Amino acid sequence: MSSSGGPIDWSPMIIGFAAGFLSRLISIRTGRSHYPGFPSGYISQLALAIIAAMIGSSVIVALVGKEFTAATFLTLAATQFRDVRSTERKTLEQEEELILVSRGAGYIEGIAITYEARNYLAMLVALVTAVATQYTGIVIGLVVGIIAIVVGEIYMSGPKIGDMIEVEPAKLHFEKGSLLYVGDVMMMEVGLPHSRDRYQKEGMGVILTPKGRRGQSVLWNIAQRQAISHEAAAAVGTQKDVGYPEQTPLCRMDMPKGSGRAGLSILPVESNMQALIQAIKNTPVLEAGKWSALTSPILRRKEMD
Amino acid sequence: MADAPTPIMFAIVTTNKEAVHGGMAPVFVAADEPERDRIAMWLCRITNCIAHDLHNGTIILTVNQASV
């Protein structure tokens, strides 16, 4: 029973809902690489988006109507979104064994966090917009909604590899008979002549050069490099199958020298250097890669300044 | 994943019998290099292991968790 007496003003709820839902829709479109591109994947996300926007927008209406029980239940519903993250992580972890080039635990965690955070963001945008509409009217509410969506979008789109790392094509070659090099970065030892032939004929390589300290700390992160390999293989394909482990795409640091650069070698299905470079540049920078910027002693080397 | 992988030597294929002594891994002795490469490739494809050439006539096959 509503104790406020007067008719309920629905406009905060409607505008808040629209803003929250829209904010989630935008991130579905821009975050394509984060999600399974199947209709069922989109449907479940849309359903969650509707629920999140609904919760965010109706809290204020419930509070104004002095329906504290309803408001409490809404916050309870919001906590249910915690499960979204572990569900997403579980799905991706199970997929890990089925794909040839794994994403790596760091990338999976990043995707799961983003997935969860975007639902909360939709909720927050809906809440802010609903509050603004409630107290300042529809016009200002609409403006606040648009600002909230834009701010949320800027806040949520993290840096990409291309922002801090230069990606250039490089030649694959073998030294000392069997050591695979990309440019001057040693990748691995390929013992089988058959695989060496294939690398020489069809292999592609790129060199990743950090633009600064941040870029270098990102590259030293092994989870980040696994994510790069995964995105590279997803873009141009990889001639790899069970029983061909040496044909897996690799992303390794320029190691005996420790110059901070990395090389990537891949046996592509489609030899498209443009697509490969673009895919690497669009790989998101993982949150796990952000911590080491100040602590790693190698970053204080003079040549990086 | 972030730890160094633990390679397990799975088999040794060699043309130079004198250079290897037996251990935990079986030793396959080949007559010449093409034969050695053929055996090594065969074993790799069957067991999903990685071949490393020691450049003394010996190829070792290792199972390496991080590279799979």
Side-chain angles (χ1 to χ4, degrees):
Chain A
M1 284 297 287
S2 175
S3 51
S4 62
I8 302 170
D9 182 12
W10 290 102
S11 56
M13 205 168 152
I14 292 165
I15 293 173
F17 175 81
F21 189 55
L22 205 65
S23 117
R24 189 70 185 86
L25 274 190
I26 289 169
S27 56
I28 281 183
R29 192 162 48 79
T30 54
R32 197 167 51 97
S33 68
H34 280 199
Y35 300 103
F38 299 108
S40 47
Y42 285 122
I43 293 294
S44 68
Q45 285 167 42
L46 284 182
L48 281 172
I50 289 171
I51 296 170
M54 184 80 192
I55 292 171
S57 59
S58 48
V59 162
I60 190 67
V61 177
L63 281 178
V64 166
K66 296 206 174 65
E67 290 282 2
F68 295 114
T69 325
T72 314
F73 268 110
L74 286 172
T75 54
L76 266 181
T79 59
Q80 293 302 313
F81 279 85
R82 274 184 316 181
D83 292 342
V84 166
R85 176 150 136 203
S86 56
T87 313
E88 179 74 3
R89 189 200 296 129
K90 222 179 283 170
T91 312
L92 290 170
E93 268 168 4
Q94 275 170 353
E95 207 181 294
E96 195 85 328
E97 291 166 18
L98 305 172
I99 53 180
L100 286 170
V101 185
S102 58
R103 289 185 175 89
Y107 198 15
I108 287 183
E109 200 54 40
I111 294 171
I113 290 173
T114 314
Y115 188 68
E116 185 195 35
R118 281 185 171 152
N119 284 314
Y120 284 133
L121 183 75
M123 221 180 281
L124 216 62
V125 167
L127 178 64
V128 167
T129 312
V131 169
T133 314
Q134 177 73 37
Y135 291 108
T136 56
I138 291 176
V139 178
I140 297 178
L142 280 174
V143 173
V144 168
I146 290 165
I147 292 172
I149 290 172
V150 171
V151 167
E153 192 57 21
I154 291 169
Y155 178 71
M156 284 302 291
S157 49
K160 304 246 184 269
I161 285 292
D163 298 341
M164 35 187 92
I165 287 156
E166 208 72 66
V167 186
E168 289 152 344
K171 248 181 78 108
L172 283 177
H173 62 105
F174 284 95
E175 275 179 29
K176 295 180 195 149
S178 62
L179 288 174
L180 175 65
Y181 275 75
V182 172
D184 57 348
V185 179
M186 186 183 72
M187 302 301 295
M188 62 170 156
E189 208 267 334
V190 183
L192 294 177
H194 170 261
S195 298
R196 286 203 289 268
D197 277 359
R198 185 167 281 196
Y199 264 109
Q200 256 163 347
K201 277 185 204 140
E202 303 172 28
M204 287 201 306
V206 291
I207 291 275
L208 307 159
T209 314
K211 290 176 186 168
R213 287 157 177 255
R214 264 303 286 290
Q216 206 186 40
S217 76
V218 163
L219 266 191
W220 278 105
N221 186 288
I222 187 165
Q224 182 67 64
R225 276 180 278 141
Q226 185 62 41
I228 292 174
S229 311
H230 173 83
E231 288 295 321
V236 292
T238 173
Q239 295 181 28
K240 188 202 176 206
D241 205 351
V242 179
Y244 293 77
E246 73 276 10
Q247 295 182 10
T248 201
L250 273 189
C251 189
R252 290 284 179 265
M253 297 305 283
D254 183 15
M255 207 36 225
K257 280 173 270 172
S259 67
R261 295 180 308 142
L264 179 126
S265 62
I266 186 167
L267 270 173
V269 174
E270 182 196 353
S271 191
N272 185 346
M273 185 55 88
Q274 209 60 43
L276 177 64
I277 290 177
Q278 203 50 50
I280 293 172
K281 282 187 169 169
N282 283 338
T283 308
V285 171
L286 302 185
E287 288 195 25
K290 287 177 182 169
W291 59 272
S292 58
L294 296 171
T295 53
S296 175
I298 200 129
L299 298 173
R300 302 204 186 100
R301 287 189 176 193
K302 282 208 179 81
E303 61 261 37
M304 287 309 301
D305 289 329
Chain B
M1 182 69 206
D3 291 331
T6 331
I8 299 160
M9 200 176 292
F10 164 76
I12 301 163
V13 193
T14 186
T15 53
N16 181 5
K17 238 188 331 193
E18 307 303 312
V20 233
H21 290 280
M24 55 167 280
V27 182
F28 296 82
V29 181
D32 49 15
E33 294 216 341
E35 171 75 357
R36 180 198 65 181
D37 293 341
R38 192 188 65 78
I39 295 174
M41 186 166 94
W42 222 234
L43 289 172
C44 275
R45 299 296 176 252
I46 295 166
T47 61
N48 200 23
C49 59
I50 299 174
H52 293 288
D53 197 340
L54 300 185
H55 297 287
N56 64 350
T58 305
I59 287 181
I60 60 167
L61 307 182
T62 61
V63 181
N64 191 335
Q65 275 304 313
S67 310
V68 175

